[in-house]
Amino acid sequence: MFSRDLVGGLVTIVLGSLYLVFSFRQRVSALADSIGPAGMPKVLGFLMVALGIVLCIQAIYQYRKSALSSPTEWDGIGGQILRAFGLVCIAILYIYLIAILGYVPSIALLLAAVAIYLGATISWRLAVIALCGSLALWAIFVLLLDVPMPAGILFQN
Amino acid sequence: MDALLSSLANLEFYLALAAVLGVAWGIVGGALPGISPSITMALLLPFTYALEPSMAIVLLASTYVGAEYGGSIPAILIRTPGTNAAAAAVIDGYEMNRQGKAGLALGISLYSGVIGSLIGLLALVLLSEPLAKLALAFTPPAYFALGILGLSVIVSLSGESLVKGLIAALLGLMISTIGTDPVSGISRFTFGFSDLLSGIQPILIMVGLFAMSELLKQASTQDEVRVKTAPRIQFPDNALKKRLILPQSIGALFGGFEGVMPGAGGTIASFMSYNEAKRWSKSKHEFGKGSPEGIAAPETANNTVAETSLIPLLSFGIPGSNSTAILLGGFLIHGLIPGPMLFSRSGEIVGDLYAGLLIAAIALLFIGITIMPACIWLVNRPRPYLNAFILALIMSGIYSINNSLFELSVVLVAGIIGYFMRLLKFPFLPTVLGLVLGFMIESNFRRSLLLSGDELSIFVSDRISLVLLSVAGLFIIGSLAKRLLQTLIGNSEKQLPSSAES
């Protein structure tokens, strides 16, 4: 019953509704034109909700007509999402760490963590690749392109 | 043509270098399965901040040219198209590889790619400026209509589901409303984050949607077994070159036509040209069994598109594909607005772009030969290391745009949205179009109404606006009719076997 289209439609309705709520709460300036800052967002919100409903109706119609939502459609999806979420966590940790450790140690840790997470074995080779990779990226961004990468709280002085 | 000749006469070394480096990077990126030309360009975009505008634009455009060719390398070697447009090359390319002719297949692909690039460049040089002169008379209503014309291609970009395409486009339009209101200056949907006051840069969403979501997808699925090969490149002899003239002409024709049409793209062009090359070939029976013509036609087509898809971008400022949307980002970063005024205000940039593309087309041949061993090496790298470096490159590149950690979070969120869009089978390109065109549509619509005293008739009384809105209407109706026809044909084909059984 809960095909990808139906889930997509429901998510669209929720997203459109939230957007609409904030559109109606939008402050209006005395300098605003006849449409105002909330004009287009309101139209977009209503369209989003309407299209979400259409997608849900289509999904239900398809399910009743030919039972396209096969039981295998969602097989293993929970595990897949969790694995993807693991990578997101590593990226979030990197964003948190770069402000503390600085660019080179953080990017080396990111390289090593992602490689291990995706199946690389922990070895001297991995450590060397992570270290050399971080130094190469530092050379490209800091030396070559003159980008002021974070020094980190620990190494600021 | 004058712009091209003038730029070639005063060609500076750094431009030639940008073209050569762009092609080299493009081939490497295109050869990586899952890394599309747009991702390859998006990864490079942060680097262009520190470059001269001409160098940055040439670098990005040359990357596109290189990536369109590079996609055929894994298509031929490991049956995995590096780009969508290279999918047609898999059919006969991989068959030739299985027959021990991988070197010849790669040679035909490169030879046809160079020819396609040169023909595409000629079309670009001859057609862009006349169209831009026409567009000089643009007013706010005309720009609004132009935005609507850009959005109208969503119907043909929506893939299997038009509703999903429209939802994806609305998502892009919604993101474009974040930031300061274009007329009253009041903040919208910023939720107290000062970083959002100036809006969300399209590049952050593009990198998130394309590159980050691809990494998340690859992290969530099992690694497939990949075949390792080490062929040498081999070019066709004179007899084969003669035989390839017809399929290459067909490829150039479709590539030229599809490139000019916003939203058509290299994938449609390569499959259509493959189909027509088979129809007109004297050796139809060879198609699907390792036909050289089956590689030449689609490869010429998608490399022609790499050049001709710049026509709507340069003339009207409309990105007709993911890659040209990234290129548009490159223009905007340097304060250049593609469209009618580009030719008069920054004519030298256009000339440099043409010259850069000519060098890129020639460089494609030489780099294609020399870079082959490196490409094969990269394609065969263990995926954990490859993906770790791609993520590090994204994180470093995005931070370098504004030295903002907040923007890394935006990319991450866009990546998560992209991952779920993939999961629920929503297309990306309508979101990118909505995002890029949203501000243009809203601001010009409201400006037009301010000018006309809230009279909607201004959109009809302005001739250019009327023509563009009519074309958009025709495009939408045509695409809807085509969809309806395909649905009806699909339904009747489904009914045929069942009626035969009964």
Side-chain angles (χ1 to χ4, degrees):
Chain A
M1 175 68 189
F2 279 93
S3 64
R4 285 174 201 249
D5 284 1
L6 185 58
V7 173
L10 291 172
V11 171
T12 303
I13 292 169
V14 172
L15 191 69
S17 305
L18 281 172
Y19 187 77
L20 260 183
V21 168
F22 287 110
S23 303
F24 277 100
R25 287 184 188 171
Q26 174 64 48
R27 278 190 308 125
V28 179
S29 163
L31 298 170
D33 53 331
S34 58
I35 295 172
M40 179 162 148
K42 282 177 188 169
V43 173
L44 294 177
F46 278 121
L47 280 173
M48 195 75 160
V49 173
L51 285 170
I53 293 168
V54 171
L55 192 58
C56 286
I57 293 169
Q58 276 185 347
I60 293 166
Y61 175 74
Q62 286 287 350
Y63 175 75
R64 287 194 175 172
K65 191 181 164 193
S66 54
L68 275 181
S69 170
S70 64
T72 56
E73 192 180 23
W74 295 104
D75 276 1
I77 204 76
Q80 283 183 21
I81 292 172
L82 275 178
R83 280 196 291 275
F85 183 69
L87 192 65
V88 172
C89 289
I90 293 173
I92 292 170
L93 199 64
Y94 165 77
I95 296 170
Y96 176 72
L97 279 180
I98 192 173
I100 301 166
L101 297 178
Y103 180 67
V104 176
S106 312
I107 208 81
L109 284 173
L110 177 76
L111 285 169
V114 173
I116 291 167
Y117 186 71
L118 297 179
T121 47
I122 301 169
S123 62
W124 281 107
R125 183 182 173 226
L126 173 71
V128 170
I129 288 174
L131 191 66
C132 293
S134 64
L135 290 174
L137 287 168
W138 176 80
I140 292 169
F141 284 96
V142 180
L143 292 184
L144 195 69
L145 295 173
D146 204 22
V147 177
M149 288 294 185
I153 297 166
L154 295 178
F155 303 103
Q156 240 167 12
N157 299 317
Chain B
M1 190 60 85
D2 291 343
L4 170 65
L5 295 175
S6 162
S7 286
L8 280 175
N10 303 305
L11 187 70
E12 292 188 51
F13 172 73
Y14 72 88
L15 270 185
L17 183 70
V20 172
L21 289 177
V23 169
W25 172 247
I27 293 174
V28 173
L32 297 172
I35 306 295
S36 63
S38 51
I39 295 174
T40 312
M41 292 167 75
L43 288 171
L44 200 62
L45 199 53
F47 288 90
T48 63
Y49 271 80
L51 301 176
E52 289 283 319
S54 289
M55 194 176 178
I57 302 304
V58 167
L59 186 69
L60 287 170
S62 307
T63 302
Y64 184 25
V65 173
E68 282 297 344
Y69 163 70
S72 64
I73 297 170
I76 292 166
L77 294 178
I78 55 173
R79 213 182 184 184
T80 307
T83 60
N84 293 336
V90 169
I91 309 167
D92 285 289
Y94 190 68
E95 278 304 315
M96 284 185 78
N97 183 15
R98 283 180 60 186
Q99 295 162 17
K101 298 178 194 167
L104 180 59
L106 288 168
I108 291 168
S109 161
L110 180 57
Y111 171 64
S112 303
V114 172
I115 286 180
S117 293
L118 290 172
I119 294 172
L121 178 62
L122 192 67
L124 174 69
V125 171
L126 294 177
L127 293 178
S128 290
E129 201 165 354
L131 283 171
K133 277 180 183 165
L134 170 83
L136 272 173
F138 269 43
T139 52
Y143 271 108
F144 164 74
L146 188 59
I148 295 297
L149 178 64
L151 279 187
S152 71
V153 302
I154 286 166
V155 179
S156 57
L157 294 177
S158 296
E160 290 176 6
S161 168
L162 177 60
V163 178
K164 283 184 174 179
L166 292 174
I167 292 170
L170 283 176
L171 183 66
L173 288 168
M174 283 175 165
I175 298 169
S176 78
T177 61
I178 296 171
T180 306
D181 177 50
V183 175
S184 66
I186 208 161
S187 66
R188 295 188 296 190
F189 307 107
T190 54
F191 306 107
F193 289 102
S194 57
D195 296 270
L196 290 176
L197 279 174
S198 54
I200 294 178
Q201 289 191 50
I203 179 62
L204 305 179
I205 303 298
M206 286 181 201
V207 171
L209 284 183
F210 293 112
M212 195 69 212
S213 73
E214 177 64 29
L215 289 178
L216 294 178
K217 186 191 144 217
Q218 290 192 18
S220 67
T221 50
Q222 297 294 321
D223 203 352
E224 74 265 24
V225 178
R226 289 178 286 163
V227 184
K228 291 188 178 182
T229 45
R232 281 183 173 180
I233 200 160
Q234 182 193 340
F235 286 98
D237 57 23
N238 286 337
L240 186 53
K241 275 180 188 166
K242 275 186 185 171
R243 190 181 152 191
L244 296 180
I245 290 173
L246 181 64
Q248 284 169 339
S249 307
I250 291 169
L253 194 69
F254 277 96
F257 180 71
E258 298 287 348
V260 175
M261 300 290 289
T267 313
I268 303 170
S270 58
F271 275 100
M272 284 178 76
S273 58
Y274 179 87
N275 195 44
E276 290 307 310
K278 186 179 177 182
R279 192 200 303 271
W280 293 94
S281 172
K282 289 176 184 170
S283 316
K284 292 185 184 69
H285 60 281
E286 281 186 28
F287 276 76
K289 296 170 188 167
S291 166
E293 295 163 77
I295 300 171
E299 283 303 293
T300 309
N302 70 38
N303 282 280
T304 306
V305 169
E307 311 273 349
T308 53
S309 64
L310 301 183
I311 294 174
L313 177 70
L314 293 181
S315 305
F316 298 111
I318 295 175
S321 65
N322 295 335
S323 305
T324 49
I326 304 281
L327 188 59
L328 172 64
F331 273 100
L332 296 177
I333 283 169
H334 289 91
L336 300 165
I337 301 166
M341 299 306 287
L342 184 72
F343 291 86
S344 56
R345 282 185 186 163
S346 312
E348 73 287 353
I349 303 272
V350 179
D352 287 346
L353 173 63
Y354 292 161
L357 284 171
L358 180 62
I359 293 164
I362 297 162
L364 186 65
L365 185 66
F366 295 101
I367 297 171
I369 298 166
T370 52
I371 211 166
M372 200 61 69
C375 284
I376 295 163
W377 182 84
L378 261 177
V379 167
N380 289 327
R381 284 311 82 207
R383 190 157 280 172
Y385 292 109
L386 187 62
N387 287 359
F389 272 95
I390 290 173
L391 183 60
L393 202 59
I394 290 172
M395 290 291 167
S396 308
I398 292 299
Y399 180 83
S400 68
I401 297 174
N402 288 321
N403 304 328
S404 163
L405 290 177
F406 180 82
E407 291 186 347
L408 294 183
S409 313
V410 173
V411 170
L412 208 53
V413 171
I416 295 167
I417 292 171
Y419 176 75
F420 283 104
M421 282 176 77
R422 279 170 186 263
L423 202 69
L424 299 172
K425 296 182 178 171
F426 281 85
F428 286 161
L429 193 51
T431 306
V432 174
L433 268 179
L435 180 65
V436 171
L437 297 174
F439 183 83
M440 178 186 179
I441 289 171
E442 186 188 9
S443 58
N444 285 296
F445 180 73
R446 289 167 66 184
R447 275 177 203 147
S448 304
L449 290 186
L450 279 171
L451 285 172
S452 68
D454 290 338
E455 284 293 331
L456 284 169
S457 58
I458 191 170
F459 297 106
V460 186
S461 56
D462 185 291
R463 283 182 189 175
I464 298 175
S465 165
L466 180 65
V467 170
L468 290 174
L469 286 174
S470 305
V471 173
L474 285 173
F475 202 92
I476 292 168
I477 292 166
S479 301
L480 286 173
K482 196 177 162 189
R483 276 181 171 273
L484 191 68
L485 196 68
Q486 282 170 343
T487 311
L488 289 173
I489 291 168
N491 286 342
S492 61
E493 279 175 357
K494 277 179 195 169
Q495 282 168 2
L496 274 176
S498 56
S499 57
E501 282 166 20
S502 62

